[in-house]
Structures are given as structure tokens and as C-alpha cells.
Amino acid sequence: MSELHGLAVHAAGAHLLPYKYDPGELKAHEVEIKISHCGVCHSDVHLIDNDWGISKYPFIPGHEIVGTVVAVGSGVTDRTMGERVGVGWQADSCGICEWCRQGEENLCAKAQPTCVGRNGGFADRVRVNSRFAVPVPTALESENAAPLMCAGITVYSPLRNYDVRPSSRVGVIGIGGLGHLGIQFAKAFGAEVTAFSTSKDKEAEAKSLGAHNFVNTRDTGALKKVAGSFDLLLSTVSADQDWQAYVNALRPKGMLCLVGASPAPVQVQGASLITHQKAVSGSNTGSPHDLAEMLDVAARHGVKAITERFAMAKANDAVTKVKKNQVRYRAVLAN
Ligand code: NAP
Ligand code: ZN
């Protein structure tokens, strides 16, 4: 019998408490990872609070994991003992549907999130399908790489999939864990980057990360001034916004892409999309292939999460700070 130890939440909104579980025999396709670092994503907060109605208690949150492979299942051929790997939002998929077969496992109907119906990374160890344990390039430090596994890939994918290039004008809305990486990746893609933030005190840092412009969204007139300006607007905000104002800020053929989980229906006038062929879309994390590509891009272009480190045992403090929007810019738990 093997025992994994972590911090679990037992009811919606409750504090994390020490917890242990027996994961059973290591399955043929699984690896076991000894966790060194795990980021605290706002999705963990949504899951802790059951904002999406999908949380299954008790569970250990955490899906921005970096660690070392300490056990390999009998059928695993792609990972080796001692290898440093990262795991993000997804821990498994069916492997045989059309989406898995074309390398878009994040769209699989049977995709298994790392900490929904399973236990995640606020722990000493975790087990996942080896296909979802992605090698971390040596140039990246584990503490800065952990946030790339969810926040990083989530902002990287739409930039890649919506064909951002040096001529593009990109806006990143919300400069938190996702947003501060979104600025850096958009810069790496060569775009002109604008940061949209409710926090005026983030302006200097947003610019040092690569933003050319900063829009204070608490100033209601500021959004009107940038009407017709952007090819891609990436919203990382978990709150409802004046979406019409953002659609108005798009150029013809522009896209407003939501990655932040805002709760209410997104309301925009149909005519405002039709006239200049604009679109509103969403994007869901990224595939193992894209994770590997994103890590390589981060290593080569110096994209790096700015982190606030907490001891694993202090996970409750980190979660509280995330809820208050006080983290600059990603809390990372260290074992
Ligand atoms: P975070 O670190 O808390 O950052 C969110 C940022 O949004 C804040 O720093 C703040 O930026 C802004 N914000 C917060 N409350 C706001 C409000 N009421 N009005 C306007 N802006 C507000 O969160 P995160 O970890 O980056 O995650 C952001 C969202 O993305 C969450 O909903 C999360 O669940 C979701 N997510 C989605 C995916 C996916 O695959 N689609 C993956 C990961 C996370 P400013 O201070 O700059 O305003
Ligand atoms: Zn996440």
C-alpha cells in the first residue's frame, strides 16, 4: 500500500486540511511524480468554492505541478525515472477519440482534470497518465515553470491558434497569474501589447514585462478611447465585464477570447459582431504537444512567472491572498 499526503478541502469554501489517500496499484500507463512546486491558479479557488458546481469533496487542489518522476507504470515508454516534468489542468484523456488522435487532448469529451474527481498538486506526490507529464526544459527553474503549466499554456494557446504575429495588436485584460504571462507571450509573438487592469499600481510592472500601453479599466472613458484598436483581446478576468465595450475595442475581424471564467452570460449586440466580422470565443488550456512547445518558447524567449513562494503547509494563506487579488503575480507552494 502506498500513501500520498496533501491538503484537501472537504466542503465548499472550507479551509484546506491535512489529508492522505491510497491511490492503489500504479496503473500501467501512469507515472508517480514527487512534487517540488505547485502554483495556485484561480481555478483552484473556483473549485474550492464550488463556483462551477463540479467539485467533488474531499479533494486536493493544485494543477500547476512540477516535480520528479519517482515511479513508472509497466506500460510507460515516454517517461523515465528521475525526469523533471510538469503537469497542468489535465491528467488524462481517452487517447482514441478524434481530438486525442489529432493531438488536441484538451478537447476530449473524457478529459480528466488533475483535481476534479482526482487529487492534485497541493501534495507530496501525484499520479497522472504519462502522456500528461511534460518534460521541463533545463533552462527553466521549477518555481517559475510551475505556473506555466496552467496559466502559461492558457494564454499561449489562443495567441498561437488565433495567429498572432508582429503586425497584431493584442490586449490582455486582467493582469494576474494568467495576464502577466499573457503580456510576456504576446510580446514574444511580436505583437503590440496593451494591458487592461483595474489596478493602477500594476502599470510599471506590466510595461516592464513587455506591455507597450496600459489602460486603467476603472476609468470608464478609457475603454472608449481605444475603440477599434485590437486584433485580439484576451480576457483573463474571473468577473463579469462590459463585454460590449471590449467588442467595440476590436478592429475589423478582431476576436474577443475569454479564458477567464466570468459567471454571467456574455451579452453583446449581434450587429456589433456582424458589421466588421468580429467574434467572441473561448479557449480551454492546451494539449501536451502545445505544453511542450510553450515551455520551449518560454525557455528561449525568457518568459518567466513572477512568483510569491509559500511553504506547502501554508497553502491556506496563499489561497486567501489569491482571493484578495494581492498576489504579484502567482503564488507557488514549495515542498
Ligand atoms: P488571478 O491571478 O486572480 O488574476 C485575475 C485578475 O483579474 C486579477 O489579478 C485582476 O487583475 C483581474 N480581476 C479580478 N477581479 C476583477 C474584477 N472584479 N473586475 C475586473 N478585473 C478583475 O487569476 P488567474 O489564475 O489568472 O485566473 C483568471 C481566470 O482564468 C479564472 O477565472 C480562472 O478560473 C481562469 N482560468 C481559465 C483557464 C482556461 O483554460 N480557460 C485556465 C486557467 C485559469 P487586475 O488587478 O489587473 O485588474
Ligand atoms: Zn489553472
Side-chain angles (χ1 to χ4, degrees), residues 145-301:
L148 295 174
M149 298 310 301
C150 178
I153 188 63
T154 300
V155 293
Y156 179 84
S157 291
L159 296 169
R160 178 189 195 274
N161 296 337
Y162 299 135
D163 203 17
V164 168
R165 52 180 95 181
S167 58
S168 306
R169 295 176 176 88
V170 172
V172 179
I173 307 166
I175 311 306
L178 268 63
H180 90 291
L181 291 167
I183 292 173
Q184 296 179 62
F185 277 120
K187 185 187 172 217
F189 276 77
E192 181 181 273
V193 189
T194 299
F196 290 83
S197 176
T198 61
S199 310
K200 224 190 145 342
D201 62 319
K202 292 181 181 173
E203 176 166 0
E205 205 140 31
K207 287 188 171 164
S208 75
L209 292 172
H212 302 86
N213 314 297
F214 184 90
V215 175
N216 175 1
T217 50
R218 294 253 188 250
D219 169 5
T220 43
L223 260 178
K224 286 202 180 110
K225 284 192 201 135
V226 293
S229 300
F230 299 96
D231 300 294
L232 177 67
L233 283 169
L234 194 58
S235 173
T236 75
V237 175
S238 50
D240 297 319
Q241 302 291 292
D242 179 355
W243 301 116
Q244 189 63 57
Y246 284 115
V247 166
N248 296 345
L250 293 172
R251 282 156 46 83
K253 294 190 171 182
M255 166 92 74
L256 167 62
C257 177
L258 273 57
V259 290
S262 52
V266 173
Q267 295 202 339
V268 296
Q269 286 163 349
S272 71
L273 300 177
I274 293 165
T275 314
H276 291 110
Q277 292 182 31
K278 298 176 181 179
V280 179
S281 73
S283 186
N284 176 27
T285 185
S287 65
H289 170 274
D290 288 358
L291 272 162
E293 181 185 287
M294 177 276 304
L295 290 173
D296 179 49
V297 170
R300 287 192 287 122
H301 292 264

Side-chain angles (χ1 to χ4, degrees), residues 14-81:
H15 271 245
L16 297 155
L17 297 171
Y19 180 73
K20 60 185 177 191
Y21 67 101
D22 175 7
E25 288 280 303
L26 186 69
K27 296 189 185 76
H29 61 274
E30 281 182 334
V31 288
E32 184 167 300
I33 299 159
K34 184 173 186 289
I35 298 167
S36 66
H37 297 84
C38 186
V40 182
C41 176
H42 210 110
S43 298
D44 292 314
V45 176
H46 291 305
L47 290 175
I48 288 169
D49 292 345
N50 202 15
D51 288 343
W52 301 330
I54 58 168
S55 306
K56 292 171 190 157
Y57 303 96
F59 76 97
I60 299 175
H63 58 273
E64 289 186 343
I65 299 167
V66 171
T68 307
V69 175
V70 290
V72 257
S74 57
V76 172
T77 52
D78 53 352
R79 298 281 70 85
T80 52
M81 291 287 283

